[in-house]
Amino acid sequence: MTSHATEVDLEELLRKALDSSGAGPRWTTDADEMWCRITPLTATQRDQGWKLHVSATSASAPAVLTRALDVLLREESAFKFARSLEKVGALNSRATPRGSSGKFITVYPRSDAEAARIALELHRATEGLAGPRILSDQPYAVNSLVHYRYGAFVGRRRLSDDGLLVWFIEDPDGNPVEDKRTGQYAPPSWAVSPFPASVPVPTRDRGKRDGPVLLGGRFSVREAIRHTNKGGVYRGTDVTTGAPVVIKEARPHVEADASGHDVRDWLRAEARTLRSLDGTGLAPEPVAMFEHAGHLFLAQEEVPGVPLRNWVAEHFRDAGSERYRSDALAQAARLVDLVAAAHAHGCVLRDFTPGNIMVRPDGELRLIDLELAVLKGDTALPTTVGTPGFSAPERLHDAPVSLTADYYSLGATMCFVLAGKVPNLLPEEPATRPSEQRLAEWLVACEATLDLPDGLRETILGLMRDEPTERWDPARARTALRRTERELPYRHHHHTTAANRTAANHDQTQTAVAGIVEHLVDSMTPDDDKRLWPVSTMAGETDPCTVQQGAAGVLAVLTRYFELTGDPRLPELISTAGHWTAARTDLDSVRPGLHFGGRGTAWALYDAGSAVGDRALMDHALALALAPQTPTPSHDITHGAAGSGLAAAHLWHRTGDPRLADLVVDAADRLAAAARREPPGVSWPV
């Protein structure tokens, strides 16, 4: 991104527009980390309706905002915009969820008629400027930055059947309906669009197409491998030859920088790399590059086999056996040869990871997904895109292209194959040790449990030195691996006995568990009304009190640790956590299941109260366990009757309360009645 672009202050553009228009007294503004919100003093905002989104790139955002403000400040509808160019870039990154990508400006019209009028004015004002297609919305017109969808205006959430907190709207009868934000425009059937039908609405039933999708008039799509914000990756067939192909898609303006480069340029770079490596056997052969419906596509040979990450997942159950050590060591040698061969052909890989390497049926390795690779003499597009744990630290800070960054990735990938783990260490706070020292200690722990061959730790550490100029090159790594292979038959003389390894593992486990508890003690936030402990919401957000993702699961761990160790710090903390959780459980709406439901929470609360002698917690736990549960289509442990019955059985054993025994029988009867008996066995439909 150029320095000129980074100097543009989007909030300053708003202030100037408010001053120059004289509209300042009519509006209030506030901002959080992501959004700047502008609300008219006369606002009468609806809970839901047709809302507008305007897209932009990091380069076009100042112009888009300036023109949009000229329209919006004359109206009386609330709106918001991403408050910085950095946030605009985040909205347009390839990692952004497809349901939220591209939404630079959001407008909340006061009526359907106002939505239609503002959409037209915004379309005219921003016509000709650059911005990505917003996948969850319908474009107002062909190539328009203005999009619309029916959805929630205010943040109302409820638990779904899956136990996740979801946004919801209401149907005409007042029933809650999930406000789904996916990568496809899908308005509710009862919402009547006030906008002109200037762009065909895509069909919602893809199964009714007359035949397979044909891209570029040549490639028939069989299935999607994945969909991301940057575009899909598909398996297909070249109808001219019958050969299987993989087709990669790049959407315009995704990951766009201030110079106008976006993921289409990455795809063109990948095509150049594949052409350069054509005939070497290192990578798929390129077939064709073409445009279709404004998107760029690259068709390439489909390499049979499985990604290396899948190979490790499938084989690592045999970790520690001579068979796995032998196979893993052979793969490590192939990885070294693969990087060396790519470098010999003038190719710097920049994203060498287990996900970008295919293991063919014959065991040989092939490079795939070479969009970040750079050829000798090529101008590399600037990027901080990489894979944590596998990309060299300097790569994630846009360091110049260098072979030494590939050495680091080679070491990390070898480590993944040999140890089955991603060498991605969390930031140390405070940072008192070099990263390579922490990595060395981590590898020692891996050696104790996996019985890794001698010399491998030295090789991995050599490739992954903090200082790029000190990293081993593939030739040195290959020499070390050959020495390890020669010594493998004699290595048992130098290793500890099984009993010593078991003792070492026990000590390490105790240290690890103690460290986890220390972290839980330090990170509890009882003054936070929303979450007692920090939580990742990458897979969705749940009830803050559940076992799966809430306070009850952590409480159960602390309770058990206290029962085993008598740690004097924990009784007060357990009591505080228990009452925080109990205060937020609703006895009138209890979900079934062990991990997502109320009885799992009751289990944790009862055991906590029993451990610290808190009768109030135990009584609340029993009330929660005995409360009626909401209906569910699930029968399993996590969400359904099996989990509810299991929790009731545990509490019955703890209390002897016959009412809990009745609940166990009821859960068993429900499961028996719902069972589907078929020749292969018994199953429960979901």
Side-chain angles (χ1 to χ4, degrees), residues 212-481:
V213 177
L214 193 67
L215 295 176
R218 177 178 171 183
F219 301 100
S220 175
V221 175
R222 298 197 310 274
E223 62 177 342
I225 298 173
R226 61 180 176 269
H227 283 292
T228 64
N229 189 37
K230 68 177 179 178
V233 180
Y234 311 96
R235 286 190 180 92
T237 302
D238 184 346
V239 297
T240 64
T241 64
V245 293
V246 169
I247 308 158
K248 301 182 69 174
E249 175 187 17
R251 294 203 307 122
H253 308 303
V254 174
E255 204 80 50
D257 60 23
S259 65
H261 291 114
D262 60 28
V263 290
R264 293 172 295 179
D265 294 286
W266 297 115
L267 196 60
R268 294 185 185 101
E270 180 172 3
R272 289 195 298 272
T273 301
L274 292 181
R275 287 194 294 270
S276 176
L277 298 177
D278 195 11
T280 64
L282 296 174
E285 294 184 6
V287 179
M289 174 164 274
F290 57 95
E291 289 192 11
H292 183 95
H295 294 197
L296 188 65
F297 292 84
L298 172 62
Q300 54 190 261
E301 171 196 17
E302 181 179 5
V303 177
V306 297
L308 181 62
R309 64 178 176 221
N310 294 29
W311 184 91
V312 172
E314 292 168 4
H315 290 76
F316 200 72
R317 61 182 178 272
D318 298 324
S321 69
E322 290 299 330
R323 171 69 182 272
Y324 185 80
R325 277 196 295 272
S326 176
D327 289 349
L329 199 58
Q331 290 291 33
R334 292 187 184 105
L335 290 170
V336 172
D337 292 342
L338 191 62
V339 171
H343 289 178
H345 285 86
C347 180
V348 183
L349 299 171
R350 293 210 297 176
D351 197 26
F352 188 75
T353 76
N356 291 343
I357 302 163
M358 289 291 286
V359 183
R360 289 172 47 92
D362 60 6
E364 293 301 313
L365 305 182
R366 294 291 182 272
L367 297 165
I368 59 172
D369 287 340
L370 290 166
E371 60 188 358
L372 295 183
V374 178
L375 295 172
K376 185 177 181 180
D378 235 1
T379 301
L381 294 170
T383 181
T384 58
V385 172
T387 306
F390 295 99
S391 294
E394 70 273 11
R395 265 276 297 109
L396 301 179
H397 293 88
D398 196 19
V401 175
S402 172
L403 296 176
T404 57
D406 283 355
Y407 302 164
Y408 185 99
S409 299
L410 171 60
T413 303
M414 284 177 55
C415 179
F416 179 75
V417 169
L418 294 161
K421 301 175 180 67
V422 179
N424 188 21
L425 303 178
L426 294 174
E428 187 176 46
E429 298 177 359
T432 58
R433 297 169 294 170
S435 295
E436 62 187 58
Q437 180 182 337
R438 296 179 63 207
L439 178 63
E441 294 173 6
W442 183 80
L443 287 170
V444 168
C446 290
E447 280 186 344
T449 56
L450 298 174
D451 199 18
L452 296 176
D454 293 328
L456 286 179
R457 182 165 62 94
E458 181 187 11
T459 304
I460 292 170
L461 289 172
L463 289 163
M464 298 180 68
R465 296 286 186 209
D466 289 342
E467 173 54 49
T469 59
E470 295 178 1
R471 291 173 191 155
W472 291 13
D473 61 17
R476 186 173 179 183
R478 185 186 296 110
T479 300
L481 284 177

Side-chain angles (χ1 to χ4, degrees), residues 476-625:
R476 186 173 179 183
R478 185 186 296 110
T479 300
L481 284 177
R482 287 171 178 165
R483 184 170 60 249
T484 299
E485 289 172 339
R486 288 195 301 269
E487 294 174 355
L488 193 57
Y490 310 103
R491 56 188 304 277
H492 63 277
H493 294 297
H494 307 287
H495 271 253
T496 57
T497 66
N500 288 339
R501 284 200 301 273
T502 300
N505 293 346
H506 179 71
D507 292 342
Q508 290 168 1
T509 300
Q510 286 189 318
T511 301
V513 172
I516 291 170
V517 171
E518 192 75 32
H519 170 71
L520 295 176
V521 170
D522 292 341
S523 59
M524 190 175 85
T525 54
D527 294 332
D528 188 335
D529 189 54
K530 303 294 185 184
R531 286 282 172 183
L532 190 53
W533 278 279
V535 64
S536 168
T537 57
M538 291 278 294
E541 188 175 355
T542 68
D543 182 326
C545 297
T546 60
V547 172
Q548 173 71 12
Q549 201 189 44
V554 184
L555 177 61
V557 169
L558 294 177
T559 299
R560 184 62 178 148
Y561 188 80
F562 173 64
E563 291 171 342
L564 293 171
T565 67
D567 188 324
R569 300 171 300 168
L570 294 184
E572 182 180 355
L573 186 144
I574 287 170
S575 180
T576 299
H579 284 284
W580 187 99
T581 305
R584 288 160 180 78
T585 53
D586 182 3
L587 298 182
D588 295 327
S589 180
V590 180
R591 297 186 59 79
L594 181 65
H595 297 146
F596 287 83
R599 284 196 196 153
T601 304
W603 179 333
L605 288 176
Y606 189 89
D607 285 0
S610 178
V612 300
D614 191 325
R615 188 72 238 180
L617 276 184
M618 297 165 70
D619 290 344
H620 184 86
L622 282 178
L624 182 59

Side-chain angles (χ1 to χ4, degrees), residues 47-72:
D47 289 339
Q48 63 190 56
W50 291 97
K51 56 185 177 181
L52 308 176
H53 291 114
V54 184
S55 69
T57 67
S58 298
S60 70
V64 170
L65 180 61
T66 299
R67 296 190 192 182
L69 289 173
D70 189 48
V71 173
L72 295 173

